[in-house]
């Protein structure tokens, strides 16, 4: 079984050494300078993502709706920066963000996705998704103009993120846009759980924070346009998830599932819609807490928009 390349000894961003730590039962090296953290061992098979979710049934209606809401919120956060055509979503999953782009009239947009399972779902939804990984980017750039690239929950899975970002820079022309979303290792949920939660699991090889992302993007020739925080479908965050992000911690928030795209949902499962409709006070409380978390910047993910200089 072929594995990914070996875990680095020193930080890939600043070159400093890493302090050995254990996060959620996983051996981690945490940079003493910029705070980037990474797994002490990269033991993921090379073909892991191609086979991911094989044989599973397609997601149910509730999950599809929440993913689309999440994609619409992502687009709302980046719309003023994105060109109206030529967007490539790398690691596009089932194509939720591509669907949001299509709904808003964006043209010539496509995705690149390693999972056969997700490619089939996207194809059924009449979305253009290429089966492959980031190495397919150069070939596609020869066929079409790529004006913007999005990496939603991808960079933490890469064994060689520096090389991937360099490849993206080579594909984008000056003024091209790069959007990255990844779990923030300094997020409030990480602090209150001492890094014992659903966002810390074996598929995540690197754990990023704002300082490390700023440094690596600047080093590669990108200019930061915007940085914000968000969570999965944050406007509909369950009450207990919001309370956890606000620091009201309970052991029940620790150690949820580990599938990408489910993590924030697992921090607090979506409540039954009928219950919420029949309980206006609970619905109001849920909404108020979600907006409080968001306004205080205590969401789970860091969201960066950068421009290729």
């Amino acid at each position: 079984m072929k594995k990914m390349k070996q875990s680095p000894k020193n930080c890939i961003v600043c070159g400093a050494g890493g302090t050995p730590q254990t996060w959620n039962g996983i051996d981690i090296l945490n940079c003493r300078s910029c705070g980037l953290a990474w797994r002490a061992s990269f033991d993921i098979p090379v073909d892991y993502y191609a086979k991911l979710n094989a044989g599973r049934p397609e997601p149910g209606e509730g999950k599809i709706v929440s993913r689309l809401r999440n994609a619409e919120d992502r687009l709302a956060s980046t719309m003023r920066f994105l060109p109206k055509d030529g967007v490539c979503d790398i690691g596009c999953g089932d194509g939720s963000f591509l669907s949001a782009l299509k709904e808003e009239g964006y043209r010539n947009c496509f995705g690149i996705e390693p999972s056969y399972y997700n490619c089939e779902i996207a194809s059924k939804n009449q979305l253009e998704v290429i089966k492959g990984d980031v190495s397919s980017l150069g070939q596609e750039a020869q066929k079409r103009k790529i004006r913007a690239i999005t990496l939603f929950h991808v960079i933490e899975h890469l064994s060689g993120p520096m090389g991937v970002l360099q490849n993206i820079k080579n594909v984008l022309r000056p003024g091209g846009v790069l959007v990255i979303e990844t779990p923030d290792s300094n997020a409030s949920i990480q602090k209150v759980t001492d890094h014992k939660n659903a966002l810390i699991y074996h598929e995540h090889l690197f754990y990023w924070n704002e300082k490390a992302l700023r440094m690596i993007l600047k080093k590669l020739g990108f200019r930061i346009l915007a940085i914000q925080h968000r969570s999965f479908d944050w406007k509909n965050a369950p009450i207990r998830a919001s309370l956890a992000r606000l620091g009201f911690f309970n052991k029940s928030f620790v150690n949820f599932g580990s599938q990408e795209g489910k993590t924030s949902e697992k921090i607090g499962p979506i409540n039954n819609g009928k219950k919420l409709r029949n309980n206006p006070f609970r619905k109001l409380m849920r909404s108020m807490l979600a907006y409080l978390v968001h306004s205080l910047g205590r969401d789970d993910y860091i969201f960066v928009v950068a421009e290729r200089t």
Side-chain angles (χ1 to χ4, degrees):
M1 180 174 62
K2 190 176 180 181
K3 303 284 183 67
M4 292 183 175
K5 69 179 189 179
Q6 290 186 344
S7 171
K9 301 297 183 184
N10 295 315
C11 178
I12 63 169
V13 174
C14 67
T19 302
Q21 297 177 351
T22 302
W23 290 6
N24 209 21
I26 298 172
D27 292 333
I28 295 291
L29 294 173
N30 195 349
C31 177
R32 294 186 287 269
S33 179
C34 71
L36 177 71
W38 63 96
R39 286 194 57 189
S41 173
F42 293 173
D43 55 2
I44 306 293
V46 170
D47 62 350
Y48 177 84
Y49 291 104
K51 299 177 179 179
L52 189 64
N53 294 327
R56 292 187 62 184
E58 292 187 13
E61 183 179 356
K63 189 169 293 300
I64 292 172
V65 169
S66 63
R67 287 178 179 176
L68 286 173
R69 283 197 307 248
N70 185 60
E72 289 164 1
D73 184 69
R74 278 175 175 163
L75 182 54
S77 299
T78 54
M79 193 174 288
R80 70 185 188 275
F81 302 109
L82 287 180
K84 291 296 290 185
D85 71 302
V87 178
C88 172
D89 186 15
I90 298 176
C92 65
D94 61 7
S96 297
F97 188 69
L98 293 174
S99 292
L101 290 170
K102 186 176 180 180
E103 186 69 22
E104 287 293 328
Y106 284 74
R107 303 176 303 277
N108 303 316
C109 299
F110 71 103
I112 298 175
E113 169 59 37
S115 164
Y116 289 99
Y117 171 88
N118 283 324
C119 285
E120 288 180 6
I121 293 175
S123 178
K124 288 179 183 178
N125 292 325
Q126 298 182 326
L127 300 169
E128 184 182 2
V129 175
I130 294 158
K131 170 68 179 70
D133 54 30
V134 72
S135 64
S136 310
L137 192 58
Q139 184 178 354
E140 291 304 316
Q142 295 176 8
K143 303 176 185 177
R144 60 181 104 201
K145 290 182 180 179
I146 299 177
R147 295 185 169 88
I149 292 173
T150 56
L151 291 174
F152 298 126
H153 294 265
V154 171
I155 193 170
E156 66 269 23
H157 295 264
L158 301 174
S159 60
M162 181 73 82
V164 169
L165 292 175
Q166 181 64 59
N167 188 18
I168 288 172
K169 180 190 174 183
N170 294 341
V171 165
L172 290 174
R173 298 177 180 180
V177 175
L178 170 64
V179 183
I180 296 174
E181 181 179 280
T182 186
D184 182 3
S185 63
N186 287 335
S188 63
I189 195 67
Q190 301 301 337
K191 294 174 182 177
V192 299
T193 65
D194 194 25
H195 295 98
K196 295 182 178 73
N197 58 76
L199 296 172
I200 310 294
Y201 64 104
H202 73 286
E203 291 178 11
H204 287 182
L205 305 181
F206 286 91
Y207 296 91
W208 296 86
N209 58 50
E210 181 174 335
K211 182 178 180 180
L213 279 173
R214 282 185 179 276
M215 289 178 67
I216 196 170
L217 289 173
K218 182 179 180 181
K219 183 181 291 187
L220 289 170
F222 287 91
R223 181 172 69 92
I224 304 292
L225 301 179
I227 291 184
Q228 57 181 289
H229 287 79
R230 60 185 303 280
S231 296
F232 180 87
D233 194 17
W234 68 266
K235 293 178 183 177
N236 296 280
I239 289 175
R240 71 181 192 134
S242 293
L243 290 174
R245 291 167 184 141
L246 290 170
F248 297 95
F249 173 65
N250 183 295
K251 286 186 179 180
S252 63
F253 294 115
V254 183
N255 292 329
F256 295 97
S258 59
Q259 292 266 341
E260 187 63 75
K262 293 184 178 180
T263 49
S264 284
E265 297 170 71
K266 290 286 186 175
I267 288 172
I270 295 175
N271 292 318
N272 182 279
K274 188 174 181 181
K275 271 186 183 177
L276 285 175
R277 287 195 297 270
N278 294 337
N279 191 333
F281 174 77
R282 183 177 177 84
K283 185 176 181 180
L284 177 62
M285 180 62 69
R286 178 177 178 174
S287 179
M288 289 175 62
L289 285 171
Y291 275 88
L292 178 61
V293 168
H294 193 64
S295 65
L296 292 175
R298 296 198 174 189
D299 284 303
D300 301 338
Y301 309 148
I302 187 167
F303 191 88
V304 182
V305 183
E307 179 184 63
R308 199 261 203 223
T309 57

